[in-house]
Amino acid sequence: MMSENKKDYKIKITQNGPYIVSGNVPLYEKIIVKDGKQYELKEGCALPQSDVYALCRLREVKNAPFCDGSHETTNFIR
């Protein structure tokens, strides 16, 4: 269930780790598709909804956009 109050939405940027998103933020995948000379957004895969997400900042993650702990073994620094 999505939060009725967007003021409850929070993003915590962890040191050398994922973004922690809380507050029942709705999460959707959108894909940028070129249509002739223009680009448009298309619906992507359905993503599981949750109260809290750990969203990865690595490209190597196996279950994007969700954190799988890869930052701990790749010396990710940000």
Side-chain angles (χ1 to χ4, degrees):
M1 178 178 189
M2 183 173 47
S3 176
E4 296 295 322
N5 187 353
K6 291 183 181 182
K7 291 180 182 180
D8 295 338
Y9 294 175
K10 295 180 183 166
I11 300 174
K12 178 180 179 185
I13 302 169
T14 63
Q15 184 174 357
N16 303 327
Y19 296 123
I20 306 299
V21 180
S22 61
N24 287 319
V25 177
L27 188 63
Y28 304 97
E29 180 183 54
K30 298 286 187 178
I31 300 170
I32 301 170
V33 178
K34 188 171 184 177
D35 184 15
K37 294 182 180 182
Q38 298 182 8
Y39 293 88
E40 61 183 69
L41 289 176
K42 298 279 187 175
E43 294 295 323
C45 297
L47 297 172
Q49 303 298 300
S50 180
D51 282 344
V52 178
Y53 306 100
L55 300 179
C56 190
R57 297 191 278 163
L58 292 175
R59 293 181 189 172
E60 297 85 6
V61 68
K62 293 183 177 103
N63 191 27
F66 304 104
C67 180
D68 64 4
S70 295
H71 62 277
E72 295 176 9
T73 59
T74 60
N75 296 323
F76 178 74
I77 298 174
R78 292 242 170 116

